[in-house]
């Protein structure tokens, strides 16, 4: 037999018992040719193009999943930042029409999320973009599948603190607009430093301006697989050998992802874009990044030493993946969304995991403060300040960072909020009670770091 | 014999006679002429028209090289009892899948079997075949997993 029994067993165990799946196959789609002189026409064109291009996406990807024998958990679409396709429209104001059209198209083709109700405002905004930003809370509150993101900082441009301040207020508005659903709109919004143009993961996916007409991007996952291996490794295994172990597994996960991605691209007649190697947890027990960290030798995720452990993990995942595929892109790190990770939820409940530790983790993974619920009474300025800290880590360290935070209306630290499905359950974490108001109200820009001058 | 191999042999024979300094265009023309002249004869041998036969050969070779999309690896696990091999093979036979390789062990009453099957002639989709296996697995009280061979190739071979 060409494969040993051990090899076959390993693959079967990974796919059937350790939740190895392709987390998402995301169709990146340019909507730039949908721009027109009226929002109505733009919305209609966008709807038509999404429905036409993605008509076979879900069915094709599911067929491949069935044949290959590896589940593809989510099928998604990312579009050109919507703020860019409305620039030429005369009637300003009614962007909600566009949001609804995109959302309805997503529902019709059967994807669970569509990302790209976005704007890139890291250095400033145009008149249209400014109006567009104001539409985000209502757009997210009145749609189901639409996701939005803002890029407010880059290493080259610095941090647009006016945009950071405004994002704080927008997040509060989103929470208020979906008050009866625990502030759900905030779970569909991400704020970035150094946003990537080919990220397949939600809520931050959008189809960048440098991307082709349409492209297939793949997000692989598999915390369960890594968790199982780390748990079963000898207790006294030195860390460099642990890194080696994770690297080898990550190689295998990535190869499986690339197989599915390329096949999907081929059958849909689209170019294959990238494979994103991020470990992304789900609320399923065992499919947790926190559990991997704990299995390395901690009582709970979030305690001292866990930043080092996470650094080892993300680096090993990247190295394994980079060897496996020539098309690595997206975020490629580890995701640590609190509400979507059973181990994180538990650690936060027990007080092992704090907002400050999550911020520290940002320096060694992609998205530090992700799906974090904070008290509804948290001010817009405090949220902006939390964002500013994360953006600073991204800008100064030349990496992507992001914030997805939910100030849950009417709830306080120690309570929990239930979002359901993949978004999970979030314990509400306390924020620092001292004010950052004056700093945030200054506005302006934090200049780009000296190492942005690289030419 | 595949097209490319034959063309390669003719080209070498011509260069052998004419020497390496022979005009490239002349050689190319000669190869084409000779190949056209003998193609019907070669084609008769394979019975089904040389082009299709050659394409099939090429496909089969490719499949063997890179882990095939047409081959399934079927793994069966459970508590041992008579009839498991028969049951699973029956499903394969009904679906017109041929068995390429089979490996079966029983350790402490635990049954494990791995079958490599070719489904290139199968009259039904992978999803339908999986559904059959699911039902048969339920009937036999074992777990049956069917996955495309190229997944294993991707994960375990460089």
């Amino acid at each position: 037999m060409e494969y040993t029994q051990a090899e076959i067993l390993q693959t079967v165990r990974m796919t059937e018992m350790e939740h190895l799946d392709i987390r998402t196959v995301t169709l990146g789609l340019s909507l730039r040719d949908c721009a027109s002189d009226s929002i109505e026409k733009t919305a209609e064109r966008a709807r038509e193009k999404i429905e036409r291009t993605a008509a076979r996406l879900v069915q094709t990807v599911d067929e491949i999943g069935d044949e290959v024998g590896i589940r593809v958990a989510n099928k998604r679409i990312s579009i050109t930042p919507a703020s860019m396709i409305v620039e030429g429209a005369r009637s300003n104001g009614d962007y909600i029409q566009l949001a609804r059209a995109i959302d309805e198209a997503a529902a019709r083709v059967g994807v669970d999320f569509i990302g790209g109700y976005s704007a890139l405002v890291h250095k400033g905004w145009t008149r249209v973009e400014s109006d567009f930003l104001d539409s985000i809370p209502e757009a997210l509150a009145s749609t189901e599948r639409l996701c939005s993101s803002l890029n407010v900082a880059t290493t080259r441009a610095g941090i647009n603190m006016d945009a950071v301040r405004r994002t704080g207020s927008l997040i509060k508005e989103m929470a208020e607009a979906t008050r009866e659903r625990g502030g759900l709109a905030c779970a569909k919004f991400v704020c970035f430093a150094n946003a990537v143009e080919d990220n397949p993961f939600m809520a931050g996916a959008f189809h960048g301006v440098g991307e082709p007409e349409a492209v297939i991007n793949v997000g692989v996952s598999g915390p369960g697989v890594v968790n199982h291996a780390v748990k079963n490794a000898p207790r006294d295994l030195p860390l460099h050998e642990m890194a080696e172990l994770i690297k080898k597994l990550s190689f295998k996960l990535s190869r499986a992802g690339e197989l599915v991605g390329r096949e999907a691209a081929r059958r849909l007649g689209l170019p294959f874009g990238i494979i994103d190697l991020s470990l992304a947890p789900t609320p399923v027990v065992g499919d947790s990044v926190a559990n991997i960290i704990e299995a390395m030798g901690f009582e709970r995720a979030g305690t001292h030493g866990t930043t080092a452990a996470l650094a080892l993990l993300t680096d090993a995942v990247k190295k394994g993946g980079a060897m496996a595929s020539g098309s690595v892109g997206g975020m490629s790190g580890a995701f640590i969304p609190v509400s979507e990770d059973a181990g994180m939820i538990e650690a936060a409940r027990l007080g092992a995991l704090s907002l400050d530790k999550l911020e520290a983790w940002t320096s060694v993974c992609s998205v530090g403060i992700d799906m974090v619920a904070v008290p509804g009474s948290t001010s817009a300025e405090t949220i902006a300040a939390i964002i500013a800290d994360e953006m600073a880590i991204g800008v100064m360290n030349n990496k992507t960072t992001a914030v997805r935070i939910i100030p849950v209306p009417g709830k306080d630290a120690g309570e929990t909020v239930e979002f359901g499905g993949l978004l999970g359950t979030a314990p509400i974490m306390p924020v620092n009670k001292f004010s950052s108001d004056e700093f945030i109200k200054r506005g302006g820009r934090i200049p780009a770091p000296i190492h942005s001058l690289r030419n | 014999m595949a097209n490319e191999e034959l063309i390669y042999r003719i080209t070498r024979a011509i260069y052998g006679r004419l020497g390496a300094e022979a005009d490239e265009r002349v050689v190319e023309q000669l190869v084409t002429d000779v190949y056209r002249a003998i193609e019907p004869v070669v084609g008769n041998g394979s019975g089904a028209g040389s082009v299709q036969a050659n394409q099939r050969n090429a496909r089969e070779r490719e499949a063997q090289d890179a882990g095939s999309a047409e081959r399934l690896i079927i793994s069966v696990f459970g508590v041992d009892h008579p009839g498991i091999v028969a049951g699973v093979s029956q499903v394969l036979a009904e679906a017109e899948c041929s068995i390429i390789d089979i490996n079966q062990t029983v350790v402490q009453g635990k049954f494990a079997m791995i079958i490599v099957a070719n489904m290139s002639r199968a009259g039904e989709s992978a999803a339908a075949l999986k559904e059959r296996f699911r039902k048969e697995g339920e009937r036999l009280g074992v777990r049956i997993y069917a996955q495309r061979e190229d997944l294993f190739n991707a994960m375990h071979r460089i």
Side-chain angles (χ1 to χ4, degrees), chain A residues 1-3 5 7-12 14-16 20 66-69 251-252 255-256 259 263 267, chain B residues 71 73 75 77 101 103 105 112 114 126-127 130 145 147-157:
Chain A
M1 195 161 282
E2 282 177 53
Y3 307 93
Q5 197 169 8
E7 286 170 340
I8 289 170
L9 280 177
Q10 186 186 36
T11 297
V12 173
M14 283 179 179
T15 54
E16 304 300 329
L20 167 61
D66 260 342
E67 285 173 25
V68 174
F251 177 88
K252 292 179 182 178
R255 294 269 290 186
L259 173 73
E263 182 83 15
R267 287 197 199 174
Chain B
R71 294 210 309 214
I73 293 196
S75 355
F77 307 102
D101 203 344
N103 178 332
T105 50
I114 293 160
K130 278 193 139 178
Y145 306 104
Q147 295 169 299
R148 239 163 65 175
E149 190 200 13
D150 50 5
L151 175 66
F152 298 85
N153 187 68
M155 289 175 83
H156 302 289
R157 296 287 178 272

Side-chain angles (χ1 to χ4, degrees), chain B residues 10 16 41 43 51 60 69 93 112 142:
Chain B
I10 298 170
V41 187
V51 177
E60 276 168 20
V142 294

Side-chain angles (χ1 to χ4, degrees), chain A residues 134-149:
Chain A
D134 285 333
S135 76
I136 295 176
E138 196 190 334
L140 293 181
S142 61
T143 55
E144 290 299 317
R145 294 170 162 81
L146 190 67
C147 292
S148 170
S149 54

Side-chain angles (χ1 to χ4, degrees), chain A residues 326-364:
Chain A
S327 319
V328 177
M331 309 279 240
S332 288
F335 288 118
I336 48 171
V338 174
S339 76
E340 298 171 13
D341 185 316
M344 295 286 178
I345 295 170
E346 191 56 23
R349 271 200 189 122
L350 293 169
L353 182 62
S354 68
L355 217 51
D356 295 337
K357 196 60 177 181
L358 286 169
E359 183 187 321
W361 282 359
T362 308
S363 59
V364 296

Side-chain angles (χ1 to χ4, degrees), chain A residues 126-197:
Chain A
T126 63
R127 230 167 343 134
V128 169
E129 275 171 337
S130 182
D131 285 346
F132 178 83
L133 293 192
D134 285 333
S135 76
I136 295 176
E138 196 190 334
L140 293 181
S142 61
T143 55
E144 290 299 317
R145 294 170 162 81
L146 190 67
C147 292
S148 170
S149 54
L150 287 182
N151 193 52
V152 298
T154 67
T155 298
R156 282 298 175 97
I159 308 173
N160 180 352
M161 287 299 289
D162 290 326
V164 169
R165 182 183 174 186
R166 214 164 146 185
T167 306
S169 306
L170 287 173
I171 289 175
K172 288 289 282 183
E173 276 179 53
M174 288 171 212
E176 210 44 58
T178 46
R179 191 183 179 86
E180 71 292 350
R181 285 181 286 168
L184 181 68
C186 303
K188 299 184 284 177
F189 174 83
V190 188
C191 166
F192 278 111
N194 295 320
V196 282
E197 301 204 324

